[in-house]
Amino acid sequence: MQNPNTFYKAQLQLNQRESKRIFKQLSLYSLLRLSVFVLTGIGIYFTYKNWQIAAGIGVVGMAIFLFLLSRYTDLKAKRNLHKRLIAINENELNIAKGDFHEQPDGSEFQNPKHFFSLDIDLFGKGSFFQFINRTAINEGTETLTENLLSNDITNIEERQQAIQELAAMPEWRQNYTAVAQGVEIEHSAASIIAWLKGYKPFLGKVQYALTIGFSIASLIIIGLGIMEIIPISMIGYWLLLGLGITALYWKKIDVLAQHTGRAKDTFRQYALLLEAIETTTFNSQLLKAKQQLIQSEDQKASEIFSKFSKALDALDNRNNLISLVLGNGYLLLDLRYSYAVEKWISKNAHKVDEWFHVVTFFDAFNSFGNYGFNHQSFTYPTLTHEPVTILAEGLGHPLLHPEKRVDSDLKLEEEQFFIVTGANMAGKSTFLRTVALHIVMANVGLPVCAKESKYKPIKLITSMRTTDSLTDDSSYFFSELTRLKFVVDTIENDKNYFVILDEILKGTNSTDKAIGSRKFVEKLVKQNATGIIATHDLSLTEIETELEAVKNYYFDAEIINDELFFDYKLKQGVCQNMNASFLLKKMEIV
């Protein structure tokens, strides 16, 4: 694959050139439209005494004007697409420099009751979500979040292959995202789907046949009136009749138009996205399966959506005064377009949910593919059935800059429990989050921050950031006990969880904490749990001599020439150097 930064710079320059080129064309079309408008007006002015010639000039001039307007609109849409692609590539270059803190941080997805969402910097300022998310649709963001939180350890290889394939398609991914960003959607896909499924039609074939017959009659009456075979006033009376027929259905049409007005931009956008999926050849099993969901026997899903979008646009034209009066008075357009919309709903409403799902799936997985493309030095874990949970070489935290990141090797076998000690700021908490993110990323199918990784899929459960709750009237200590009970009960029902604990029982005195922590670790080991606990309590490390499953590891700190140094390396054994008193003195607190 290409170097990411080289690719983004090249795409940035390409889209900037295209944007400037199209801008020149837009200026030309604006000038041509103005010229046609002026020339048409002059032609009508000098020929108004001969109304047939004047009308002919008006019709031809209007046709040319509308053609130029249509061409102008298409070019403007193209330029807007290139402008969005410019922004996408600029954003990628900024994120590569570490500037991603203005991205949506997903803090609304934090849930203290979830297995791990609150503990591992998955959401919030500077989080993994903020770093990886490139979704353009709200439902795509939700799909991305569901994947990160799912704890799904099935079909990981299928997801890996899908992400690897999308990672190798950077231009396709960027175009998909740029198209998806093209429309501001005010109403959720879920609300649109619910409305479509619950909709009850009020028009039938009889009313549609009426619109056809009435339109033909209108053309005959207008023609006879112009030729003065019948009184010209008949054209006006016929107009009033058409408006009267439309008025009988006015309220129901108005309600339909209100709902379709909310949906039309969504369907226009989704039609383009479905077309992008349909016209691409995928090789991975998961992507092909998603693609097959939008394949219809007689017509492509994108064409079906596009047809509906045009019907919605046509109905929306009722807001135009000329269309409202003349269109309904002579052609009963509101009835005809409402029938077309209802017919589409009756035929396709049950499929829309699945088609929307495919669009949002690709929106979410494009973010994963983008991450894989941006981190080509990372590795996709090799899945194993051997009794080793994680065997990683050069494991590091994915959000740390490579030049500052210190990697460690890790071998943690099944049903093994590590007790990690270390000085303040030596790297214990970062290490716990590194291991946690390895598990979450591996389960999603993402490449992990390591040179190599062998991994036996396991779900994650943590207790690292317990908080008290004034609304629930629960103390910090009670909240922590509740969380620990949740961990124990979960392991009791399913031992295939990786437990990560950080300094548990902080809400009680040191003696009680030491006794309680020891009993809790012993309980987990008895349950054959796999995991890690970080602690400052060195007495907890004594369990290693009593239980074979427990191993001690530590992060060290050294004081050299009255300065504190950390190597951030995981080592086997027990930490002997603590630094709290040194830091208090160094910062002149005591």
Side-chain angles (χ1 to χ4, degrees):
M1 283 191 284
Q2 297 170 272
N3 176 276
N5 277 6
T6 303
F7 171 79
Y8 296 135
K9 288 175 183 176
Q11 289 297 307
L12 179 60
Q13 292 171 359
L14 172 66
N15 285 289
Q16 285 173 335
R17 285 197 303 271
E18 282 298 297
S19 179
K20 289 177 182 177
R21 183 183 66 80
I22 294 173
F23 179 74
K24 291 177 182 177
Q25 289 183 310
L26 288 173
S27 301
L28 175 62
Y29 275 97
S30 294
L31 182 62
L32 288 173
R33 279 190 302 144
L34 179 61
S35 300
V36 169
F37 181 80
V38 171
L39 290 173
T40 301
I42 292 171
I44 292 172
Y45 177 77
F46 283 108
T47 60
Y48 74 93
K49 290 182 180 179
N50 189 332
W51 71 269
Q52 290 94 340
I53 296 175
I57 291 172
V59 169
V60 172
M62 182 64 71
I64 296 172
F65 182 86
L66 291 175
F67 169 78
L68 292 173
L69 179 61
S70 173
R71 182 65 180 147
Y72 178 89
T73 303
D74 291 343
L75 283 172
K76 188 176 180 181
K78 268 188 179 181
R79 183 167 185 256
N80 287 336
L81 180 68
H82 286 294
K83 287 167 73 175
R84 291 193 294 274
L85 286 166
I86 289 169
I88 286 170
N89 285 284
E90 287 177 337
N91 189 46
E92 289 297 338
L93 290 169
N94 288 333
I95 291 175
K97 298 173 186 175
D99 182 12
F100 65 92
H101 295 89
E102 297 305 316
Q103 299 277 106
D105 64 14
S107 54
E108 67 272 21
F109 300 117
Q110 289 179 333
N111 178 9
K113 295 182 179 179
H114 185 262
F115 292 95
F116 53 79
S117 78
L118 188 67
D119 289 338
I120 63 172
D121 296 329
L122 195 60
F123 303 106
K125 199 74 171 176
S127 64
F128 185 70
F129 173 89
Q130 192 173 37
F131 186 67
I132 194 175
N133 177 36
R134 303 291 191 277
T135 55
I137 304 170
N138 289 336
E139 286 77 14
T141 307
E142 291 170 6
T143 302
L144 175 75
T145 304
E146 287 167 6
N147 275 271
L148 292 173
L149 295 176
S150 67
N151 248 345
D152 181 9
I153 59 174
T154 63
N155 304 317
I156 293 175
E157 288 180 328
E158 282 188 14
R159 292 194 288 275
Q160 284 182 344
Q161 291 163 9
I163 291 169
Q164 286 175 302
E165 183 169 6
L166 289 171
M169 302 167 61
E171 288 184 49
W172 186 89
R173 284 187 287 98
Q174 285 199 350
N175 187 71
Y176 189 94
T177 301
V179 170
Q181 290 175 349
V183 180
E184 288 290 334
I185 304 298
E186 296 181 8
H187 301 274
S188 69
S191 65
I192 293 171
I193 291 166
W195 172 72
L196 289 172
K197 287 184 174 179
Y199 184 77
K200 304 295 181 187
F202 62 89
L203 296 173
K205 291 182 179 179
V206 173
Q207 287 92 339
Y208 180 69
L210 172 64
T211 66
I212 301 299
F214 194 88
S215 298
I216 294 170
S218 295
L219 293 174
I220 294 171
I221 289 171
I222 291 171
L224 293 174
I226 291 173
M227 290 185 290
E228 298 182 351
I229 296 175
I230 61 174
I232 196 73
S233 60
M234 286 296 295
I235 297 176
Y237 294 137
W238 191 256
L239 173 73
L240 293 175
L241 176 62
L243 293 174
I245 294 172
T246 302
L248 296 174
Y249 298 92
W250 182 261
K251 286 186 178 179
K252 291 182 178 179
I253 294 173
D254 198 46
V255 171
L256 175 64
Q258 287 177 18
H259 281 94
T260 55
R262 299 169 187 169
K264 68 187 183 74
D265 288 340
T266 302
F267 278 92
R268 185 186 301 116
Q269 177 196 46
Y270 276 47
L272 294 171
L273 297 174
L274 285 166
E275 184 180 17
I277 298 166
E278 289 167 345
T279 55
T280 305
T281 301
F282 296 109
N283 297 311
S284 65
Q285 200 171 9
L286 180 57
L287 298 186
K288 286 198 292 187
K290 295 297 179 183
Q291 191 180 46
Q292 287 171 1
L293 291 175
I294 60 172
Q295 291 178 345
S296 181
E297 293 178 5
D298 54 346
Q299 200 174 13
K300 293 179 179 178
S302 61
E303 293 173 354
I304 295 171
F305 266 43
S306 182
K307 185 177 180 181
F308 189 48
S309 176
K310 289 174 183 176
L312 298 181
D313 282 337
L315 184 59
D316 195 48
N317 283 333
R318 69 198 303 269
N319 295 320
N320 180 293
L321 185 61
I322 295 175
S323 177
L324 183 68
V325 177
L326 299 181
N328 286 318
Y330 292 121
L331 304 172
L332 302 180
L333 288 183
D334 274 9
L335 282 172
R336 186 181 304 177
Y337 293 147
S338 295
Y339 175 78
V341 169
E342 290 190 336
K343 186 178 179 182
W344 189 98
I345 293 172
S346 298
K347 184 178 179 181
N348 298 296
H350 65 286
K351 306 174 188 174
V352 171
D353 194 1
E354 194 167 71
W355 291 341
F356 273 31
H357 164 76
V358 173
V359 169
T360 56
F361 167 86
F362 275 92
D363 188 40
F365 266 68
N366 274 353
S367 287
F368 296 143
N370 188 74
Y371 185 83
F373 178 71
N374 287 344
H375 298 85
Q376 296 173 30
S377 62
F378 288 6
T379 185
Y380 290 86
T382 301
L383 305 187
T384 180
H385 295 289
E386 298 173 17
V388 56
T389 302
I390 300 175
L391 178 60
E393 180 186 344
L395 178 64
H397 196 291
L399 298 187
L400 294 177
H401 194 279
E403 293 178 4
K404 297 180 180 179
R405 189 178 69 228
V406 178
D407 301 331
S408 293
D409 296 340
L410 174 65
K411 181 180 181 182
L412 203 156
E413 296 178 357
E414 193 175 25
E415 298 181 8
Q416 199 171 55
F417 215 89
F418 283 6
I419 297 175
V420 179
T421 53
N424 293 296
M425 304 186 299
K428 298 190 306 297
S429 295
T430 299
F431 174 71
L432 296 186
R433 291 180 176 87
T434 298
V435 176
L437 279 174
H438 176 289
I439 294 169
V440 171
M441 293 165 67
N443 289 345
V444 168
L446 287 165
V448 298
C449 182
K451 292 179 182 177
E452 289 183 17
S453 175
K454 185 180 283 187
Y455 172 65
K456 185 173 185 180
I458 191 168
K459 291 173 278 188
L460 177 66
I461 189 168
T462 63
S463 179
M464 299 167 69
R465 283 179 177 157
T466 308
T467 58
D468 56 353
S469 174
L470 295 176
T471 54
D472 294 338
D473 194 28
S474 59
S475 68
Y476 178 91
F477 187 60
F478 181 76
S479 295
E480 190 173 16
L481 291 177
T482 302
R483 182 68 181 182
L484 295 178
K485 185 178 188 320
F486 172 64
V487 171
V488 169
D489 290 347
T490 301
I491 302 299
E492 189 75 42
N493 295 322
D494 181 1
K495 76 169 188 174
N496 196 33
Y497 274 89
F498 194 100
V499 184
I500 296 183
L501 309 169
D502 192 4
E503 206 64 56
I504 63 172
L505 302 178
K506 294 184 284 289
T508 187
N509 65 73
S510 56
T511 303
D512 201 28
K513 173 188 170 184
I515 296 170
S517 297
R518 183 185 181 96
K519 289 185 177 296
F520 188 73
V521 172
E522 288 173 346
K523 170 73 173 179
L524 291 176
V525 172
K526 187 177 180 181
Q527 289 181 307
N528 297 319
T530 304
I532 304 173
I533 180 172
T535 182
H536 285 100
D537 181 9
L538 298 183
S539 67
L540 194 60
T541 62
E542 296 170 4
I543 304 178
E544 183 187 46
T545 60
E546 303 167 15
L547 299 173
E548 187 180 348
V550 176
K551 301 295 178 186
N552 289 327
Y553 283 83
Y554 72 100
F555 287 91
D556 206 2
E558 290 185 280
I559 300 171
I560 303 173
N561 296 328
D562 202 35
E563 291 294 336
L564 196 59
F565 289 93
F566 304 102
D567 63 9
Y568 302 110
K569 279 286 188 181
L570 181 69
K571 306 180 185 73
Q572 191 161 7
V574 179
C575 179
Q576 301 301 322
N577 300 322
M578 296 300 180
N579 60 3
S581 58
F582 171 80
L583 289 172
L584 286 169
K585 290 178 181 178
K586 189 71 176 174
M587 297 177 67
E588 298 181 354
I589 298 172
V590 296

